Amino acid sequence: DVNYIKIAKWNNIRSPYKLRVGDRIIIKSNKFRKKESSDIKYKENKKKVKYASNVKWGRPHYGKISKEFSYSDIGKKGIDIAGKIGDDILSSSDGMVVYTGNGIKGYGNLIIIKHNDTFLSAYAHTNKILVEENNLVKKGQVIAKLGDTDSIKPILHFQIRKNGKSVDPE
């Protein structure tokens, strides 16, 4: 009953979280986990991040848009931007990285950035993630390299969420 991300953090294992035969890992006792989670909540409350009230957006990649935003309920909600494997992917605005990994099926290597209490942005199918959770990023900062993880061609699938609902990034 332990999330693999916690096990990875305890053992300094980075995405894509691969183990080899013979590797040893630490899984902390339940008693320690409960203490640790309360310590984390205390630290998070102590370290408040001040978010901008208005977000200034930029393009995360300058390739051609290969799939436009769709208002239908079917499929992923965002745009696909074509490019070459290894192209820079930029943060679309200032914020805090709240997720990095490949634990969400269909998105490959994914980064989610919280820009304020209203907006999140998501960057899917990256080849290499260059930021970690809880990193503060600036608009235009290189956060990843374009890839084709969980997609049929090299693309950046880019989403902006407003209060949890997808909106057209353009």
Side-chain angles (χ1 to χ4, degrees), residues 23-132:
D23 285 354
R24 291 178 165 236
I25 60 170
I26 296 169
I27 299 176
K28 296 184 178 183
S29 74
N30 199 23
K31 178 181 170 186
F32 182 82
R33 280 184 257 152
K34 286 180 183 170
K35 180 180 182 282
E36 184 182 69
S37 71
S38 64
D39 288 347
I40 289 169
K41 284 179 187 167
Y42 173 75
K43 286 177 188 169
E44 285 174 353
N45 289 338
K46 196 173 177 182
K47 180 186 156 191
K48 292 273 186 198
V49 174
K50 185 168 168 55
Y51 292 105
S53 56
N54 60 342
V55 180
K56 292 178 175 50
W57 298 105
R59 292 260 332 221
H61 184 272
Y62 293 99
K64 182 180 177 193
I65 294 176
S66 60
K67 182 183 148 275
E68 301 277 333
F69 182 81
S70 170
Y71 288 97
S72 78
D73 292 332
I74 301 166
K76 296 180 204 163
K77 295 300 213 160
I79 60 174
D80 288 348
I81 304 172
K84 295 184 202 117
I85 290 180
D87 285 354
D88 288 345
I89 295 174
L90 314 172
S91 175
S92 59
S93 191
D94 296 353
M96 179 191 277
V97 178
V98 294
Y99 176 82
T100 61
N102 57 8
I104 302 174
K105 187 173 170 52
Y107 289 88
N109 294 332
L110 173 68
I111 300 170
I112 299 175
I113 298 174
K114 180 178 180 176
H115 301 286
N116 60 22
D117 289 334
T118 305
F119 288 102
L120 296 172
S121 60
Y123 311 77
H125 307 301
T126 65
N127 187 36
K128 183 172 184 168
I129 296 173
L130 303 174
V131 292
E132 296 178 2

Side-chain angles (χ1 to χ4, degrees), residues 129-147:
I129 296 173
L130 303 174
V131 292
E132 296 178 2
E133 290 176 18
N134 298 316
N135 283 169
L136 294 175
V137 294
K138 292 285 187 191
K139 176 181 174 182
Q141 179 179 334
V142 178
I143 57 171
K145 297 294 184 176
L146 192 128

